[in-house]
Amino acid sequence: MRWSKTYIPTLRQKQTEAELISHQLLLRAGYIRKLAAGIYLYLPLMQRVIDKFSNIVREEMNRAGALEITMSVLCPAELWQKSGRYDTIGKEQMRLKDRHQHDMVLCGTHEETVTNLIAGEVRSYRQLPLNLYQIQVKFRDEIRPRFGLMRGREFIMKDAYTFDADAESFARSYQAMVDAYFAVFKRAGLDVIKVESDSGAMGGKVAHEFMLLVDTDAGEEDIAVCNKCGYAANVEKAEFKDDAPDPTDAEPKDMETIDTPGAATIEEVTEFLKVDATALAKTLMYKADGKPVAAMVRGDRDVNEVKLRNALKAVDLEMASEEEVLKYTGAPVGFAGPVGLKDVQILVDPLVAEMKNMIVGANAGEKHIKNVNLDRDFKAAEVIDLTRARGGDTCPHCDGKLDVKDGIEVGNTFQLGTNYAEKLGAKFLDADSEERPCIMGSYGIGITRTPQAALEKYFDDKGIIWPKAIAPYLVELIPIKMDNENQVAAAEKIYAALTEAGIDVLYDDRDERPGVKFNDADLVGVPVRITIGDKSLKDGNVELKARSADKFDLVPVNEVVEAVIRLAETLN
Ligand code: ATP
Ligand code: MG
C-alpha cells in the first residue's frame, strides 16, 4: 500500500482523553477515532490489525472443529425472558422497541440466540458434539466505558458455543477450546496465562480467563498467582490459606461494651484499644436486592464482593448508604456489629467464625463490644468464604505464596452446564431414546480489545512496536527523497518484489521531510523498516532495521526479500 493512497491521520499532540498508553498510541498513530463514549471507528490501519487477528482466531477455531456462522445483533427480548436473563442482566443490555412495539435487545453475548437456533433442530446424540462460533459486533451499555477499545460499548468479539451429549464429550470440547486459545495468543505474539474465574452472569460453575499480565495502569483485573505450584485465579475468585495465629485456645469471656470515642475505622479502633486488627471483626452493611445484609470479615481483611454476591445469589448488590446504615443498625457508619442486629441477614466468613472473644461494633455511636462469640452472642445465617485474597497469602493448594498481579482479560471460557439448554429447549434423544438437555460451553475472545492490550506491552517512547502477526503491515519502505530518481526506482523495485513475495508493505511515497516520515514510522509501529538513501544506494544497498532495534543492516537491493524474511523470523 502506498501511504499517499491510504488514510493514516497521525497526530503530533498528546490526546488528553486517553489515560492509557495503548489508547494514546491508537489515536495518535491514526488507527481509531472516537464517535461517542465507548464507540469507536476503526480506520484503515486498525481494520488491517483486526483482520489479521480475526484470521488467526478463525484459523484456530476452524482447526479445533468449530463452525463459523453469523448471528443477528438484534434479538427479540422474548428469548432473554425465556432464559431469565432479561431480569438479571441489568442496564448493560441495550434495549429498544421496533415499529410494532415489540421489545428487542442488542446482543452483548449470544447464548440465547444460539441455543434457540439448535433447539428443535438438533434431535439426536448423533448430531453432537457441535461447536458454532462467530466474529461479530457486540453491544453493552458499559457503566464505565473507557480506555478506548479496551472497554467499549460497541466492540467486536469472537464467541463460540459448544453443545455436547455427555460430560466426557464436553470435557474434550472445553479442552479443545482452551488449547485453541493458547494457540491463538501465541501466534499473536502474546504470552497469556489461564486463570480460574468467577462465572458471574453466565451462571455456570467452572470458568477460566485468559490474562495478559501488564506493568502499566491498564490491568483492570487483579490476578493471584502462586509462586510455587502455578495456581492462578482472578482475585474475585481466588482461594487462599490464612496464616494468622490460631485463636482457638482462648476461653470465652463475658461480653463487655466499651467506649471508643472518636474511633470508627479499624485503624482508629486498633490504635485506641492497643490490639491487633486480627482481634476485630468488621461488620459491613450492604443492600442486596433491596434487603439489608451484614457481611463479617476479620478486621485485617477485605470483603470480596463477588464472593458475597454469589453467596447471596443477588442481582443487585451495593454498600448501604449512610442513612441505610443508620436505619439498619441504629448507629452511624463505623459502629455496626452483629450483636442485637434485627431483620438483617448476617453472613460470616470462616476466619471470623473461628475467632474467640472478638471485638465488634456495638450498633451505638462511639461504642464497641469486647469478647463477642459466634452462636453464643449472635447467629450467622451462613458461614461462607467472603474474604478477598491478597498478596502474601498462602496458596490454597501448596505452601507457596500468592503474588497479586495486574492483568487484562483478553478471552474467557465458561462451562455453562444445562441451564440454557433446559430453558430454551435444546434437547436431544440419547442412545437409549431418553430426552436430555445439551451440556453447553461458551467461549469469548476480545477481537478489538486484544490488539490494544498488546500495545500495553509493545511500545517505546516513540510509538508502537507491533508483534508481527497482528501488525497492519510487516514492512515500511521509506525512500528519503521522493524527488530522487534513483531512490524512487529502488523503492518501486523493492515494493514490487516484496508484494510479489506476499509480504505486506506500507510504502511511504509522500513528499515529506525524512524526519516526518521516520517519526510517523515509529509511531505507526510496523515491525520492519527499509530506508533508502543516497549514501548506501551508491553501493547498491538499502538499510534494513527492526522497529525494536537501534541499528540497521546494509542489504543489497536484490536480496531484500530474503533479508526481510530472515529478520522477521527473529521478531516476536
Ligand atoms: P470484563 O470482565 O472485562 O467485562 P466479560 O467477562 O464481560 O469481560 P465476556 O462477556 O466473556 O467478558 O466477553 C468475552 C471477551 O470479550 C472478554 O474476554 C473481552 O476480551 C471482550 N470484552 C468484554 N467486554 C468488552 C468491552 N466492553 N469492550 C471490549 N471488549 C470486551
Ligand atoms: Mg463485562
Side-chain angles (χ1 to χ4, degrees):
M1 174 62 69
R2 289 166 200 270
W3 193 301
S4 63
K5 298 279 187 297
T6 182
Y7 179 56
I8 309 176
T10 55
L11 303 167
R12 286 281 153 258
Q13 17 1 339
K14 189 160 187 254
Q15 299 302 296
T16 47
E17 66 178 272
E19 288 170 58
L20 296 186
I21 184 71
S22 56
H23 185 193
Q24 183 71 234
L25 289 171
L26 287 180
L27 287 169
R28 284 193 44 214
Y31 283 76
I32 60 171
R33 286 295 179 261
K34 175 166 147 183
L35 180 68
I39 307 178
Y40 285 84
L41 312 182
Y42 314 129
L43 305 193
L45 287 180
M46 192 67 215
Q47 189 60 48
R48 291 185 66 89
V49 171
I50 291 171
D51 289 347
K52 292 243 168 127
F53 185 55
S54 299
N55 281 336
I56 293 174
V57 172
R58 186 173 279 121
E59 281 174 24
E60 295 303 329
M61 286 297 115
N62 293 347
R63 196 196 307 280
L67 305 166
E68 186 167 9
I69 63 173
T70 300
M71 291 182 275
S72 59
V73 176
L74 263 181
C75 176
E78 194 197 328
L79 290 187
W80 286 73
Q81 283 155 351
K82 266 197 197 173
S83 74
R85 284 208 288 187
Y86 198 65
D87 296 324
T88 57
I89 198 140
K91 294 196 175 129
E92 211 175 278
Q93 183 168 56
M94 303 283 294
R95 296 179 177 184
L96 64 161
K97 279 190 196 296
D98 67 15
R99 62 164 70 196
H100 305 294
Q101 299 305 305
H102 292 149
D103 288 316
M104 308 292 285
V105 307
L106 296 180
C107 286
T109 176
H110 278 80
E111 282 80 8
E112 280 77 0
T113 309
V114 75
T115 311
N116 179 69
L117 169 71
I118 75 141
E121 300 259 12
V122 170
R123 293 205 172 81
S124 160
Y125 70 98
R126 288 194 199 85
Q127 292 166 278
L128 300 174
L130 191 60
N131 184 341
L132 301 172
Y133 81 97
Q134 63 177 344
I135 295 176
Q136 196 236 26
V137 164
K138 296 278 181 277
F139 291 88
R140 293 184 185 176
D141 205 356
E142 296 274 358
I143 182 165
R144 270 183 293 279
R146 56 182 189 162
F147 299 162
L149 308 186
M150 292 279 203
R151 188 165 295 284
R153 295 198 295 162
E154 176 177 328
F155 59 98
I156 305 176
M157 196 202 288
K158 183 288 300 176
D159 44 328
Y161 305 89
T162 58
F163 299 87
D164 283 270
D166 58 52
E168 293 79 60
S169 169
F170 173 71
R172 282 194 296 277
S173 297
Y174 192 79
Q175 190 56 44
M177 282 294 101
V178 167
D179 294 344
Y181 274 34
F182 278 120
V184 162
F185 293 117
K186 183 156 189 261
R187 280 182 63 185
L190 301 174
D191 193 11
V192 299
I193 64 166
K194 174 178 150 235
V195 310
E196 293 178 15
S197 67
D198 181 70
S199 51
M202 290 296 174
K205 287 227 160 49
V206 176
H208 293 97
E209 289 165 342
F210 290 74
M211 293 282 178
L212 186 68
L213 300 181
V214 290
D215 302 322
T216 59
D217 301 333
E220 284 194 290
E221 308 288 339
D222 291 331
I223 317 299
V225 183
C226 174
N227 61 11
K228 197 163 172 189
C229 74
Y231 168 73
N234 193 313
V235 164
E236 287 182 349
K237 160 91 180 175
E239 292 163 29
F240 63 93
K241 290 198 285 258
D242 182 79
D243 289 333
D246 184 358
T248 48
D249 53 15
E251 284 300 311
K253 296 184 196 148
D254 290 342
M255 272 206 295
E256 189 186 327
T257 302
I258 45 175
D259 289 321
T260 50
T265 66
I266 292 290
E267 291 71 37
E268 288 161 355
V269 178
T270 51
E271 176 68 26
F272 183 80
L273 296 177
K274 303 276 176 274
V275 292
D276 196 82
T278 53
L280 267 69
K282 282 186 201 167
T283 307
L284 293 138
M285 304 304 297
Y286 285 88
K287 204 166 76 171
D289 296 332
K291 297 203 191 84
V293 171
M296 294 186 70
V297 294
R298 209 176 54 204
D300 63 317
R301 314 271 342 191
D302 291 321
V303 169
N304 177 335
E305 292 188 356
V306 173
K307 288 182 180 175
L308 178 62
R309 179 192 299 270
N310 290 344
L312 293 163
K313 297 188 180 55
V315 176
D316 270 326
L317 178 73
E318 50 187 344
M319 289 217 73
S321 64
E322 278 180 37
E323 298 81 73
E324 285 161 346
V325 170
L326 192 61
K327 194 170 115 197
Y328 301 157
T329 70
V333 172
F335 301 96
V339 181
L341 207 52
K342 289 206 188 61
D343 304 321
V344 175
Q345 192 183 359
I346 305 176
L347 296 192
V348 173
D349 185 86
L351 296 178
V352 172
E354 68 183 21
M355 285 170 80
K356 292 282 179 313
N357 301 323
M358 63 184 113
I359 301 165
V360 299
N363 297 326
E366 320 272 290
K367 286 186 198 311
H368 280 77
I369 312 180
K370 273 191 354 188
N371 304 331
V372 171
N373 289 282
L374 175 64
D375 291 333
R376 185 190 71 178
D377 305 323
F378 69 98
K379 301 271 179 272
E382 201 174 349
V383 174
I384 189 162
D385 179 15
L386 301 174
T387 297
R388 192 177 159 85
R390 65 182 171 208
D393 277 339
T394 302
C395 174
H397 299 299
C398 75
D399 59 357
K401 294 283 176 222
L402 299 180
D403 281 340
V404 174
K405 304 183 176 185
D406 293 333
I408 302 171
E409 178 192 323
V410 287
N412 57 27
T413 56
F414 292 99
Q415 304 195 356
L416 297 175
T418 56
N419 179 41
Y420 291 96
E422 276 164 34
K423 298 223 167 99
L424 289 143
K427 299 188 180 157
F428 64 95
L429 294 180
D430 68 14
D432 303 321
S433 293
E434 285 216 26
E435 192 179 66
R436 287 199 289 158
C438 294
I439 300 175
M440 289 176 57
S442 92
Y443 314 85
I445 290 181
I447 296 291
T448 39
R449 178 187 286 182
T450 303
Q452 186 181 326
L455 300 190
E456 288 292 323
K457 292 197 86 82
Y458 299 117
F459 66 93
D460 63 13
D461 55 351
K462 298 198 189 90
I464 296 171
I465 307 174
W466 282 111
K468 64 187 171 201
I470 56 172
Y473 296 93
L474 181 66
V475 178
E476 180 156 345
L477 179 60
I478 308 180
I480 289 179
K481 286 208 162 82
M482 282 309 287
D483 55 6
N484 177 307
E485 267 176 39
N486 292 338
Q487 286 184 27
V488 171
E492 292 290 336
K493 190 174 169 195
I494 291 169
Y495 183 52
L498 287 170
T499 306
E500 173 76 9
I503 293 169
D504 293 328
V505 192
L506 178 60
Y507 170 13
D508 193 345
D509 61 344
R510 291 175 301 169
D511 194 9
E512 283 282 2
R513 282 181 292 116
V516 171
K517 291 191 179 191
F518 292 144
N519 282 342
D520 275 345
D522 283 338
L523 190 56
V524 161
V526 170
V528 175
R529 183 199 294 181
I530 298 170
T531 309
I532 306 175
D534 273 348
K535 219 170 112 204
S536 40
L537 197 59
K538 238 181 18 250
D539 306 321
N541 291 328
V542 296
E543 293 172 8
L544 177 71
K545 167 181 127 43
R547 166 68 182 82
S548 53
D550 296 328
K551 294 209 175 65
F552 59 81
D553 284 332
L554 287 177
V555 174
V557 171
N558 293 333
E559 292 167 25
V560 164
V561 173
E562 298 74 33
V564 164
I565 293 171
R566 267 201 310 277
L567 175 60
E569 270 167 17
T570 67
L571 299 176
N572 176 47

